[in-house]
Amino acid sequence: MGKGGEVSGDGAKVEEENMAAWLVAVNTLKIQPFRLPPLGPHDVRVRMKAVGICGSDVHHLKTMRCAHFVVKEPMVIGHECAGVIEEVGCDVKSLVVGDRVALEPGISCGHCKYCKGGRYNLCRSMRFFGSPPVNGSLANQVVHPANLCFRLPENVSLEEGQCVSPVVLGFMLAVMLL
Protein backbone atom coordinates (compact mmCIF):
# COMPACT_ATOMS: atom_id res chain seq x y z
CA MET A 1 0.00 0.00 0.00
CA GLY A 2 1.40 3.39 -0.94
CA LYS A 3 1.76 6.48 1.22
CA GLY A 4 -1.61 7.95 2.13
CA GLY A 5 -3.60 4.74 1.64
CA GLU A 6 -5.34 3.18 -1.30
CA VAL A 7 -8.27 4.33 -3.38
CA SER A 8 -11.29 2.04 -3.43
CA GLY A 9 -13.15 1.01 -6.56
CA ASP A 10 -15.56 3.94 -6.19
CA GLY A 11 -12.70 6.46 -5.87
CA ALA A 12 -13.01 6.93 -2.09
CA LYS A 13 -9.79 6.96 -0.13
CA VAL A 14 -9.22 3.85 2.01
CA GLU A 15 -7.21 4.54 5.15
CA GLU A 16 -4.00 2.57 5.53
CA GLU A 17 -3.91 0.41 8.62
CA ASN A 18 -1.00 1.29 10.87
CA MET A 19 1.12 -1.80 11.48
CA ALA A 20 3.90 -2.36 14.02
CA ALA A 21 6.36 -4.98 15.27
CA TRP A 22 4.88 -6.26 18.53
CA LEU A 23 7.03 -8.19 20.98
CA VAL A 24 4.66 -10.92 22.17
CA ALA A 25 7.00 -13.50 23.77
CA VAL A 26 10.68 -14.38 24.05
CA ASN A 27 12.16 -14.30 20.54
CA THR A 28 8.72 -13.66 19.04
CA LEU A 29 7.75 -10.56 17.09
CA LYS A 30 4.45 -10.27 15.22
CA ILE A 31 3.45 -7.62 12.72
CA GLN A 32 0.04 -6.50 13.91
CA PRO A 33 -2.19 -3.41 13.79
CA PHE A 34 -1.12 -0.54 16.04
CA ARG A 35 -3.85 1.94 16.94
CA LEU A 36 -2.50 5.43 17.40
CA PRO A 37 -3.70 7.74 20.15
CA PRO A 38 -5.62 10.81 19.04
CA LEU A 39 -3.45 13.68 17.88
CA GLY A 40 -3.26 16.26 20.66
CA PRO A 41 -2.83 19.99 20.05
CA HIS A 42 0.95 19.78 20.69
CA ASP A 43 1.54 16.45 18.90
CA VAL A 44 2.58 15.37 15.43
CA ARG A 45 1.91 12.19 13.48
CA VAL A 46 5.12 10.88 11.94
CA ARG A 47 5.53 8.26 9.20
CA MET A 48 8.55 6.24 10.28
CA LYS A 49 11.22 5.94 7.61
CA ALA A 50 14.20 4.65 9.65
CA VAL A 51 14.24 2.78 12.96
CA GLY A 52 17.42 1.38 14.47
CA ILE A 53 17.56 -1.77 16.54
CA CYS A 54 19.23 -1.01 19.85
CA GLY A 55 20.77 -3.29 22.45
CA SER A 56 17.78 -2.69 24.70
CA ASP A 57 15.47 -3.94 21.91
CA VAL A 58 17.58 -7.11 21.71
CA HIS A 59 17.43 -7.56 25.51
CA HIS A 60 13.66 -7.20 25.42
CA LEU A 61 13.45 -9.73 22.56
CA LYS A 62 15.75 -12.29 24.19
CA THR A 63 14.60 -12.01 27.83
CA MET A 64 11.41 -9.88 27.89
CA ARG A 65 13.26 -7.39 30.09
CA CYS A 66 15.99 -4.77 30.09
CA ALA A 67 17.25 -3.67 33.50
CA HIS A 68 14.12 -3.05 35.60
CA PHE A 69 11.85 -2.70 32.55
CA VAL A 70 9.89 -5.97 32.28
CA VAL A 71 7.61 -6.71 29.32
CA LYS A 72 4.38 -8.04 30.86
CA GLU A 73 2.11 -7.65 27.84
CA PRO A 74 2.64 -7.26 24.08
CA MET A 75 4.64 -4.13 23.30
CA VAL A 76 5.84 -2.34 20.15
CA ILE A 77 9.65 -2.16 20.22
CA GLY A 78 12.03 0.45 18.80
CA HIS A 79 13.10 3.92 19.82
CA GLU A 80 15.94 5.17 17.60
CA CYS A 81 13.95 6.67 14.78
CA ALA A 82 13.40 9.29 12.12
CA GLY A 83 10.54 9.99 9.77
CA VAL A 84 8.39 12.50 7.93
CA ILE A 85 5.66 14.63 9.52
CA GLU A 86 2.24 13.70 8.15
CA GLU A 87 -0.02 15.71 10.45
CA VAL A 88 0.45 18.44 13.06
CA GLY A 89 -1.66 19.34 16.08
CA CYS A 90 -3.53 22.65 16.05
CA ASP A 91 -1.01 24.39 18.34
CA VAL A 92 2.16 23.15 16.62
CA LYS A 93 3.98 26.06 14.97
CA SER A 94 7.56 24.74 14.72
CA LEU A 95 6.92 21.86 12.29
CA VAL A 96 4.92 21.38 9.11
CA VAL A 97 3.70 18.43 7.08
CA GLY A 98 6.62 17.08 5.06
CA ASP A 99 9.36 17.99 7.55
CA ARG A 100 11.97 15.27 8.02
CA VAL A 101 12.60 14.75 11.74
CA ALA A 102 14.54 12.73 14.29
CA LEU A 103 12.48 11.81 17.34
CA GLU A 104 13.73 12.11 20.89
CA PRO A 105 12.73 8.75 22.42
CA GLY A 106 12.69 10.06 25.99
CA ILE A 107 9.29 11.53 26.80
CA SER A 108 9.58 13.95 29.70
CA CYS A 109 6.73 15.36 31.80
CA GLY A 110 7.23 18.95 30.62
CA HIS A 111 6.18 20.36 33.99
CA CYS A 112 8.93 19.66 36.54
CA LYS A 113 11.76 22.08 37.37
CA TYR A 114 14.14 20.20 35.06
CA CYS A 115 11.78 20.28 32.09
CA LYS A 116 10.93 23.95 32.62
CA GLY A 117 14.64 24.73 33.00
CA GLY A 118 15.45 23.17 29.62
CA ARG A 119 17.05 20.05 31.12
CA TYR A 120 14.28 17.60 30.25
CA ASN A 121 16.85 14.80 30.12
CA LEU A 122 16.92 14.91 33.96
CA CYS A 123 13.14 14.58 34.35
CA ARG A 124 12.33 12.05 37.07
CA SER A 125 9.13 11.08 35.26
CA MET A 126 10.92 10.24 31.99
CA ARG A 127 9.35 7.49 29.89
CA PHE A 128 10.97 5.96 26.79
CA PHE A 129 9.70 4.68 23.46
CA GLY A 130 9.95 0.90 23.48
CA SER A 131 10.41 0.49 27.24
CA PRO A 132 7.44 -0.81 29.21
CA PRO A 133 4.81 0.44 29.48
CA VAL A 134 5.39 2.79 26.49
CA ASN A 135 5.06 1.37 22.97
CA GLY A 136 7.94 2.06 20.61
CA SER A 137 8.44 3.32 17.10
CA LEU A 138 8.91 0.21 14.95
CA ALA A 139 5.63 1.02 13.21
CA ASN A 140 4.36 2.66 10.05
CA GLN A 141 3.34 5.74 12.04
CA VAL A 142 3.59 7.13 15.57
CA VAL A 143 2.20 10.13 17.43
CA HIS A 144 4.81 12.10 19.37
CA PRO A 145 5.10 15.49 21.12
CA ALA A 146 6.20 18.08 18.55
CA ASN A 147 8.77 19.58 20.92
CA LEU A 148 10.57 16.20 20.92
CA CYS A 149 10.85 16.08 17.11
CA PHE A 150 13.90 17.74 15.58
CA ARG A 151 14.01 18.88 11.95
CA LEU A 152 16.88 17.29 10.05
CA PRO A 153 19.14 19.41 7.84
CA GLU A 154 18.90 18.60 4.13
CA ASN A 155 22.40 17.07 4.16
CA VAL A 156 21.41 14.53 6.87
CA SER A 157 19.60 11.40 5.67
CA LEU A 158 16.75 9.81 7.58
CA GLU A 159 19.02 6.84 8.28
CA GLU A 160 21.60 9.18 9.79
CA GLY A 161 18.81 10.98 11.65
CA GLN A 162 17.71 7.83 13.41
CA CYS A 163 21.27 7.56 14.79
CA VAL A 164 20.97 10.95 16.50
CA SER A 165 19.28 9.39 19.53
CA PRO A 166 22.29 7.34 20.69
CA VAL A 167 24.61 10.31 20.12
CA VAL A 168 22.36 12.68 22.09
CA LEU A 169 21.79 10.10 24.83
CA GLY A 170 25.54 9.51 25.14
CA PHE A 171 26.13 13.25 25.39
CA MET A 172 23.40 13.66 28.03
CA LEU A 173 24.84 10.84 30.11
CA ALA A 174 28.33 12.31 29.87
CA VAL A 175 27.02 15.71 31.02
CA MET A 176 25.15 14.09 33.92
CA LEU A 177 28.32 12.32 35.08
CA LEU A 178 30.44 15.51 35.10
Side-chain angles (χ1 to χ4, degrees), residues 3-86:
K3 182 176 179 182
E6 296 179 338
V7 176
S8 69
D10 64 359
K13 185 176 178 184
V14 176
E15 281 299 314
E16 176 181 351
E17 187 168 32
N18 191 39
M19 303 298 281
W22 289 87
L23 176 60
V24 296
V26 170
N27 292 325
T28 307
L29 291 173
K30 289 188 177 180
I31 306 301
Q32 297 178 328
F34 179 35
R35 184 181 304 265
L36 294 176
L39 191 71
H42 302 282
D43 295 332
V44 292
R45 184 170 46 87
V46 182
R47 176 161 301 276
M48 293 289 93
K49 294 294 187 176
V51 180
I53 301 300
C54 180
S56 60
D57 295 317
V58 175
H59 280 287
H60 282 122
L61 177 69
K62 297 291 185 189
T63 66
M64 297 296 282
R65 70 178 306 125
C66 184
H68 66 278
F69 294 103
V70 179
V71 180
K72 296 178 181 173
E73 58 188 46
M75 176 187 82
V76 177
I77 63 169
H79 58 270
E80 298 170 0
C81 56
V84 177
I85 302 288
E86 290 208 329

Side-chain angles (χ1 to χ4, degrees), residues 121-151:
N121 59 303
L122 300 177
C123 178
R124 298 202 193 296
S125 299
M126 184 73 73
R127 300 173 302 129
F128 290 92
F129 261 158
S131 288
V134 180
N135 284 311
S137 58
L138 193 50
N140 296 120
Q141 300 175 53
V142 299
V143 169
H144 203 56
N147 68 322
L148 298 175
C149 295
F150 300 92
R151 190 177 298 115

